[in-house]
Amino acid sequence: MTDWLILAGGSGSRLGQDKAATPLDGRTLLDRARATIDSVDDTATIHVLDQAYPGGPAAAVVAGLTRCESAHVGVLAVDMPFAADALVHVWSARVKQPAADAWVPVDSSGRRQWLCAVYRSSALATAADSVDEWSGRSFASLVSQLACVDVPIDDSISLLDIDTPDDLRRARERTTNG
Protein backbone atom coordinates (compact mmCIF):
# COMPACT_ATOMS: atom_id res chain seq x y z
CA MET A 1 0.00 0.00 0.00
CA THR A 2 1.14 3.52 -0.78
CA ASP A 3 -0.46 6.78 0.23
CA TRP A 4 -0.90 9.28 -2.60
CA LEU A 5 -1.41 13.00 -2.16
CA ILE A 6 -3.19 14.79 -5.00
CA LEU A 7 -2.42 18.49 -4.85
CA ALA A 8 -5.71 20.14 -5.78
CA GLY A 9 -5.78 23.25 -3.62
CA GLY A 10 -4.32 25.92 -5.87
CA SER A 11 -6.41 28.94 -6.71
CA GLY A 12 -6.05 28.46 -10.47
CA SER A 13 -5.60 32.22 -10.85
CA ARG A 14 -3.43 31.98 -13.99
CA LEU A 15 -5.82 29.45 -15.52
CA GLY A 16 -8.85 31.51 -14.51
CA GLN A 17 -10.76 28.58 -13.01
CA ASP A 18 -10.57 25.81 -10.42
CA LYS A 19 -8.00 23.35 -11.79
CA ALA A 20 -9.47 20.27 -10.13
CA ALA A 21 -12.89 20.91 -11.71
CA THR A 22 -11.50 21.78 -15.16
CA PRO A 23 -12.80 19.36 -17.79
CA LEU A 24 -10.46 17.66 -20.23
CA ASP A 25 -11.81 15.11 -22.68
CA GLY A 26 -14.98 14.51 -20.67
CA ARG A 27 -13.36 14.15 -17.23
CA THR A 28 -12.25 16.66 -14.64
CA LEU A 29 -8.54 17.01 -13.91
CA LEU A 30 -9.21 15.57 -10.45
CA ASP A 31 -10.89 12.49 -11.94
CA ARG A 32 -7.96 12.10 -14.34
CA ALA A 33 -5.46 12.35 -11.44
CA ARG A 34 -7.31 9.64 -9.52
CA ALA A 35 -7.35 7.42 -12.61
CA THR A 36 -3.64 8.04 -13.17
CA ILE A 37 -2.81 6.87 -9.65
CA ASP A 38 -5.12 3.86 -9.94
CA SER A 39 -3.41 2.86 -13.19
CA VAL A 40 0.01 2.88 -11.51
CA ASP A 41 -0.79 1.56 -8.02
CA ASP A 42 -3.82 -0.66 -7.51
CA THR A 43 -3.32 -0.60 -3.72
CA ALA A 44 -3.22 3.20 -3.48
CA THR A 45 -4.85 5.16 -0.70
CA ILE A 46 -5.62 8.55 -2.25
CA HIS A 47 -5.84 11.77 -0.24
CA VAL A 48 -7.01 14.91 -2.05
CA LEU A 49 -5.39 18.05 -0.66
CA ASP A 50 -7.83 20.78 -1.65
CA GLN A 51 -8.44 24.34 -0.45
CA ALA A 52 -8.51 23.05 3.13
CA TYR A 53 -4.70 22.77 2.74
CA PRO A 54 -3.56 26.35 2.03
CA GLY A 55 -0.08 27.81 1.69
CA GLY A 56 1.15 26.14 -1.48
CA PRO A 57 2.28 22.61 -2.37
CA ALA A 58 4.97 22.29 0.32
CA ALA A 59 2.60 23.37 3.10
CA ALA A 60 -0.14 21.09 1.77
CA VAL A 61 2.12 18.03 1.58
CA VAL A 62 3.53 18.65 5.06
CA ALA A 63 -0.03 18.90 6.44
CA GLY A 64 -1.16 15.92 4.36
CA LEU A 65 1.61 13.70 5.71
CA THR A 66 -0.38 13.38 8.94
CA ARG A 67 -2.95 11.36 6.96
CA CYS A 68 -0.36 8.94 5.57
CA GLU A 69 0.51 5.58 7.09
CA SER A 70 2.59 3.84 4.42
CA ALA A 71 6.35 3.72 3.94
CA HIS A 72 6.07 5.68 0.69
CA VAL A 73 4.07 8.73 -0.34
CA GLY A 74 3.29 9.55 -3.93
CA VAL A 75 2.66 13.17 -4.88
CA LEU A 76 0.74 14.20 -7.98
CA ALA A 77 -0.36 17.69 -8.95
CA VAL A 78 -3.94 17.69 -10.20
CA ASP A 79 -2.89 19.72 -13.26
CA MET A 80 -0.72 16.96 -14.81
CA PRO A 81 -3.25 15.02 -16.90
CA PHE A 82 -0.71 12.94 -18.84
CA ALA A 83 1.50 11.86 -15.94
CA ALA A 84 0.61 8.14 -15.98
CA ASP A 85 3.52 7.04 -18.18
CA ALA A 86 6.01 9.06 -16.16
CA LEU A 87 4.67 7.59 -12.91
CA VAL A 88 5.01 4.06 -14.30
CA HIS A 89 8.74 4.73 -14.75
CA VAL A 90 8.99 6.32 -11.30
CA TRP A 91 7.17 3.38 -9.70
CA SER A 92 9.51 0.93 -11.42
CA ALA A 93 12.60 2.89 -10.32
CA ARG A 94 11.35 2.77 -6.72
CA VAL A 95 11.40 -1.03 -6.88
CA LYS A 96 14.75 -1.25 -8.70
CA GLN A 97 16.55 1.33 -6.53
CA PRO A 98 14.88 1.05 -3.11
CA ALA A 99 17.59 2.76 -1.04
CA ALA A 100 16.71 6.32 -2.10
CA ASP A 101 14.48 8.89 -0.39
CA ALA A 102 12.77 10.05 -3.58
CA TRP A 103 12.15 8.92 -7.15
CA VAL A 104 11.59 11.91 -9.40
CA PRO A 105 10.95 12.14 -13.16
CA VAL A 106 13.41 14.32 -15.06
CA ASP A 107 12.65 15.58 -18.56
CA SER A 108 15.17 15.81 -21.40
CA SER A 109 16.10 19.36 -20.41
CA GLY A 110 17.09 18.17 -16.92
CA ARG A 111 14.07 19.63 -15.13
CA ARG A 112 12.87 17.59 -12.15
CA GLN A 113 9.11 17.31 -11.76
CA TRP A 114 8.82 17.20 -7.96
CA LEU A 115 5.01 17.14 -8.05
CA CYS A 116 4.86 13.84 -9.93
CA ALA A 117 7.05 11.67 -7.74
CA VAL A 118 7.29 9.12 -4.94
CA TYR A 119 8.97 9.84 -1.61
CA ARG A 120 10.02 7.77 1.38
CA SER A 121 7.60 8.87 4.11
CA SER A 122 10.22 9.02 6.85
CA ALA A 123 12.58 11.16 4.74
CA LEU A 124 9.78 13.52 3.80
CA ALA A 125 8.73 13.83 7.46
CA THR A 126 12.32 14.58 8.50
CA ALA A 127 12.57 17.28 5.82
CA ALA A 128 9.21 18.70 6.95
CA ASP A 129 10.44 18.92 10.55
CA SER A 130 13.43 21.06 9.47
CA VAL A 131 11.27 24.20 9.15
CA ASP A 132 8.57 25.54 11.49
CA GLU A 133 6.32 27.06 8.80
CA TRP A 134 6.01 25.80 5.21
CA SER A 135 3.35 28.23 3.98
CA GLY A 136 4.61 30.10 0.93
CA ARG A 137 7.83 28.07 0.63
CA SER A 138 8.70 26.27 -2.58
CA PHE A 139 8.18 22.54 -2.85
CA ALA A 140 11.78 22.17 -4.04
CA SER A 141 12.97 23.62 -0.72
CA LEU A 142 11.17 20.75 1.02
CA VAL A 143 12.56 17.91 -1.09
CA SER A 144 15.72 19.04 -2.86
CA GLN A 145 18.04 17.80 -0.10
CA LEU A 146 16.65 14.26 -0.20
CA ALA A 147 18.66 11.41 -1.75
CA CYS A 148 16.90 11.32 -5.12
CA VAL A 149 16.89 8.88 -7.97
CA ASP A 150 16.44 10.91 -11.14
CA VAL A 151 14.16 8.95 -13.47
CA PRO A 152 14.80 10.01 -17.09
CA ILE A 153 11.61 10.65 -19.03
CA ASP A 154 11.93 10.87 -22.79
CA ASP A 155 10.16 13.48 -24.88
CA SER A 156 7.39 11.08 -25.93
CA ILE A 157 6.03 11.25 -22.36
CA SER A 158 4.24 14.45 -21.46
CA LEU A 159 4.90 16.16 -18.15
CA LEU A 160 2.66 19.06 -19.21
CA ASP A 161 1.08 20.86 -16.31
CA ILE A 162 -1.91 23.05 -16.94
CA ASP A 163 -1.25 26.47 -15.48
CA THR A 164 -2.61 28.83 -18.15
CA PRO A 165 -5.35 28.87 -20.81
CA ASP A 166 -2.63 28.14 -23.42
CA ASP A 167 -1.56 25.05 -21.47
CA LEU A 168 -5.19 23.90 -21.37
CA ARG A 169 -5.49 24.45 -25.11
CA ARG A 170 -2.33 22.33 -25.68
CA ALA A 171 -3.73 19.59 -23.44
CA ARG A 172 -7.03 19.59 -25.33
CA GLU A 173 -5.15 19.41 -28.64
CA ARG A 174 -3.17 16.45 -27.30
CA THR A 175 -6.34 14.57 -26.32
CA THR A 176 -7.89 15.33 -29.71
CA ASN A 177 -4.80 14.34 -31.71
CA GLY A 178 -3.90 11.34 -29.57
Side-chain angles (χ1 to χ4, degrees), residues 12-14 22 26 29 38 49-50 53 65 67 86 104 111 116 122 146 152 155 157 173:
S13 59
R14 289 185 290 163
T22 297
L29 291 181
D38 287 340
L49 306 181
D50 56 16
Y53 295 85
L65 280 175
R67 300 174 68 184
V104 183
R111 179 176 171 251
C116 176
S122 59
L146 299 179
D155 291 336
I157 296 173
E173 287 172 358

Side-chain angles (χ1 to χ4, degrees), residues 6-13 15-24 26-35 47-52 76-81 162-163 168 172:
I6 297 177
L7 296 169
S11 67
S13 59
L15 183 60
Q17 58 191 3
D18 175 10
K19 287 183 182 182
T22 297
L24 178 64
R27 293 186 299 171
T28 67
L29 291 181
L30 179 56
D31 289 341
R32 292 179 73 93
R34 287 179 184 275
H47 310 279
V48 178
L49 306 181
D50 56 16
Q51 281 74 12
L76 179 61
V78 75
D79 64 355
M80 298 187 70
I162 298 175
D163 292 325
L168 181 56
R172 286 183 173 148

Side-chain angles (χ1 to χ4, degrees), residues 73-157:
V73 175
V75 173
L76 179 61
V78 75
D79 64 355
M80 298 187 70
F82 309 115
D85 290 337
L87 282 177
V88 166
H89 291 292
V90 168
W91 196 247
S92 176
R94 181 191 62 85
V95 173
K96 292 177 185 172
Q97 296 174 289
D101 293 331
W103 298 265
V104 183
V106 179
D107 66 20
S108 61
S109 70
R111 179 176 171 251
R112 285 180 170 157
Q113 186 45 270
W114 298 111
L115 301 180
C116 176
V118 176
Y119 300 92
R120 184 174 310 286
S121 299
S122 59
L124 202 51
T126 298
D129 288 344
S130 70
V131 173
D132 289 335
E133 177 59 46
W134 283 100
S135 184
R137 292 183 179 265
S138 74
F139 194 80
S141 69
L142 173 63
V143 296
S144 63
Q145 300 303 311
L146 299 179
C148 294
V149 170
D150 288 341
V151 181
I153 302 299
D154 67 53
D155 291 336
S156 68
I157 296 173

Side-chain angles (χ1 to χ4, degrees), residues 155-168:
D155 291 336
S156 68
I157 296 173
S158 175
L159 290 173
L160 172 70
D161 57 341
I162 298 175
D163 292 325
T164 67
D166 282 343
D167 295 335
L168 181 56

